[in-house]
Amino acid sequence: MPNLPLGIPSDLDKYFFNRKKELIKLNTFISGFKQNVANQILITGRRGVGKSFLLMKFRMELPENVLSAYVDLSKIHGMQKGRITEEKVMHGLFEEMLGSLENKDPLRKIYKLKDSLLKKLSAKNYDFKAAGNLLGIPIPQVDDDYEKLSSLVMEFPQKVVDDNRENIDGFVIILDEFQLIGEFENPEAFFWLIRSYTQHQDNVTYIFTGSTSATSEIVEKINGAQGAFGGRMIQFPVEPFNEKDTYDYLKEMISEIKFTPEGLKRFYKCTNGYPSYINSFCNTMSEGRTYDSEMVIETFYGKLDQIAVMWVFIWATLSDYEKEIIEILTETEALSWNDLLSKVNYSNKTLLKYTNRLKNKGILSHTNKKYAIEDIMLRSWLKYRKENDGYYPP
Ligand SMILES: Nc1ncnc2c1ncn2[C@@H]1O[C@H](COP(=O)(O)OP(=O)(O)OP(=O)(O)O)[C@@H](O)[C@H]1O
Ligand SMILES: [Mg+2]
């Protein structure tokens, strides 16, 4: 049986496939650092399409003179037992920014301050006068702790570049699972804060990415016409592998598994080219037999819990409201707002709250004024469980 990774493997190069065009694009977007031109980037795409893996690879291949920090907001979310705050995100950013200096020789002196600076942060002692002097960042005399913290963190990357022009051209900061910012009390304020700093920073690129559809509320808030960046961010969606890529990937990664041409086509239809599903499906297949279309279907339904494993985990994290909305839409395809509202027992306001959450999580789509479940694997899995168990997973 193949053993393809279900998460991001530590040996990136062993498993990373193609995405050449996306990598060229990303590199073009940061190619202006030397001329003091920085872009801000928003990368959307459904769950399991390969956003994080792509960005890991991009990060690994960054030129020597570009620093980078990677923050996964779902980790901060997890550690906070479901509560994510601006302050925690700032801590996470600062920690990763400092961490990125470890192997850059002249910057190591700042890296060495990491532990003592972070200790100050965790003690909520935001008196950065001394730290500000050490880092050379003028810390404004403000009363509000969060303001002090955020100005330290937000000024930091540009300052590092400015002080090290001979070695460093730019700083890339990746915020993964950024849709969780939607859980802040005031997501707009956070986006505006970042925008207000990036406006004057010519060598810092933020890349926001997460599982959310290009039309979600959170995307509107950050880059919509009324959003903080007002359309100035470069936005691009990561697409699943196309049919040919999928076949090439299978040939390269699991040459021991044989398919008939119809079997291959069926495999592509079942996975839609999503690398996460391709991998989890492959891991259920055996050598020594040739998969035709029927065998692919049989395996698909026989091992659906394993193939849709990603959703088994996500399902467990959803609230009862969210589950109910998904169940309704699993049974009825697309629904207008009023039709959806008529099927639930709670208020307009509550429904709005949870549909927005589901949109931010990239689970619900809202196109042509109709709500629908974006992911067919999620639908297949739920339908299958309902048929087999008589009820939806609890
Ligand atoms: N280019 C690729 N080559 C090979 N495998 C890939 C590629 N992209 C993604 N994968 C595999 O697909 C799975 C999902 O990838 P990844 O975690 O990057 O997706 P994602 O879009 O970040 O998903 P999520 O929205 O859930 O965070 C991983 O197991 C990864 O190993
Ligand atoms: Mg990801």
Side-chain angles (χ1 to χ4, degrees):
M1 252 186 216
N3 189 13
L4 294 174
L6 298 182
I8 304 216
S10 46
D11 185 352
L12 297 190
D13 280 331
K14 184 169 172 201
Y15 294 101
F16 192 80
F17 181 78
N18 196 341
R19 297 295 193 202
K20 293 197 173 76
K21 285 213 167 104
E22 287 84 350
L23 287 167
I24 291 171
K25 270 194 201 170
L26 284 169
N27 280 302
T28 314
F29 299 153
I30 60 149
S31 61
F33 281 152
K34 248 195 179 21
Q35 289 79 39
N36 301 321
V37 177
N39 290 302
Q40 307 308 323
I41 304 171
L42 176 58
I43 299 179
T44 55
R46 294 200 197 152
R47 283 226 168 264
V49 76
K51 302 172 295 289
S52 302
F53 203 179
L54 171 67
L55 285 164
M56 299 274 177
K57 176 80 172 162
F58 166 68
R59 197 178 167 208
M60 196 177 86
E61 292 179 348
L62 281 172
E64 268 291 291
N65 50 8
V66 176
L67 293 166
S68 70
Y70 175 88
V71 175
D72 179 347
L73 295 188
S74 70
K75 295 236 164 85
I76 298 177
H77 195 250
M79 282 189 296
Q80 293 305 302
K81 298 206 175 69
R83 264 198 44 115
I84 184 164
T85 61
E86 288 86 339
E87 209 173 332
K88 286 289 165 200
V89 172
M90 286 295 163
H91 284 205
L93 270 171
F94 197 42
E95 182 167 1
E96 291 304 317
M97 286 174 184
L98 288 168
S100 73
L101 310 180
E102 183 175 6
N103 298 317
K104 303 277 171 178
D105 204 15
L107 295 167
R108 240 188 106 75
K109 62 180 190 302
I110 304 180
Y111 172 77
K112 287 193 179 139
L113 301 171
K114 184 176 166 213
D115 288 343
S116 67
L117 283 169
L118 292 174
K119 222 188 210 153
K120 260 176 172 296
L121 294 196
S122 51
K124 286 205 170 221
N125 174 1
Y126 298 146
D127 179 3
F128 292 118
K129 265 185 250 90
N133 291 340
L134 281 169
L135 303 175
I137 301 173
I139 303 297
Q141 298 295 314
V142 287
D143 294 331
D144 182 86
D145 281 345
Y146 174 64
E147 246 178 81
K148 272 187 205 161
L149 172 68
S150 58
S151 76
L152 172 77
V153 177
M154 297 304 297
E155 299 277 12
F156 185 69
Q158 182 66 44
K159 182 73 193 160
V160 168
V161 179
D162 288 341
D163 287 355
N164 297 277
R165 288 278 175 177
E166 59 295 356
N167 304 306
I168 305 294
D169 292 338
F171 212 131
V172 174
I173 295 149
I174 301 169
L175 274 169
D176 202 348
E177 301 287 358
F178 91 101
Q179 76 280 0
L180 290 169
I181 291 172
E183 319 258 310
F184 288 1
E185 248 163 57
N186 190 347
E188 288 92 341
F190 187 78
F191 292 142
W192 279 101
L193 175 92
I194 296 196
R195 162 101 172 99
S196 70
Y197 283 97
T198 55
Q199 206 161 6
H200 308 289
Q201 297 185 341
D202 297 328
N203 306 82
V204 184
T205 284
Y206 282 83
I207 302 181
F208 288 84
T209 183
S211 12
T212 187
S213 64
T215 54
S216 69
E217 191 196 29
I218 196 84
V219 168
E220 259 318 290
K221 281 184 181 162
I222 191 171
N223 200 34
Q226 310 298 321
F229 286 84
R232 290 176 194 84
M233 285 186 131
I234 299 177
Q235 194 169 327
F236 85 90
V238 178
E239 305 289 353
F241 292 164
N242 62 27
E243 212 169 324
K244 180 172 183 305
D245 274 344
T246 304
Y247 301 157
D248 290 347
Y249 179 78
L250 293 177
K251 219 192 278 166
E252 191 173 314
M253 298 290 175
I254 52 150
S255 56
E256 69 276 20
I257 308 283
K258 305 284 178 236
F259 292 89
T260 65
E262 291 69 34
L264 262 185
K265 272 202 161 33
R266 179 61 61 185
F267 181 90
Y268 176 69
K269 273 201 170 140
C270 288
T271 58
N272 267 296
Y274 281 80
S276 55
Y277 300 144
I278 296 176
N279 284 1
S280 56
F281 200 156
C282 286
N283 288 351
T284 70
M285 300 180 115
S286 321
E287 288 175 54
R289 48 200 291 204
T290 303
Y291 284 83
D292 60 17
S293 185
E294 281 75 51
M295 279 163 67
V296 170
I297 294 174
E298 191 190 303
T299 313
F300 180 74
Y301 285 108
K303 309 272 174 156
L304 202 46
D305 278 323
Q306 253 170 286
I307 298 171
V309 61
M310 184 175 92
W311 289 111
V312 179
F313 286 115
I314 296 171
W315 188 254
T317 68
L318 299 176
S319 67
D320 288 345
Y321 289 112
E322 290 168 305
K323 286 178 186 164
E324 189 185 347
I325 297 168
I326 295 171
E327 287 164 15
I328 292 170
L329 289 166
T330 301
E331 308 223 330
T332 51
E333 311 274 324
L335 283 182
S336 68
W337 175 260
N338 284 336
D339 288 343
L340 185 57
L341 187 63
S342 71
K343 287 183 186 289
V344 296
N345 287 326
Y346 35 85
S347 69
N348 209 310
K349 199 171 153 213
T350 310
L351 183 62
L352 186 65
K353 175 173 165 188
Y354 290 103
T355 48
N356 273 336
R357 266 202 192 169
L358 289 170
K359 271 203 283 177
N360 289 342
K361 290 177 186 174
I363 295 177
L364 207 63
S365 70
H366 187 214
T367 33
N368 301 326
K369 303 205 167 159
K370 296 234 169 171
Y371 289 86
I373 304 296
E374 292 237 300
D375 194 285
I376 40 169
M377 189 65 77
L378 173 60
R379 290 180 73 113
S380 304
W381 173 64
L382 287 173
K383 280 187 171 164
Y384 178 79
R385 286 263 65 104
K386 176 84 191 289
E387 268 165 37
N388 275 266
D389 305 338
Y391 49 87
Y392 289 109

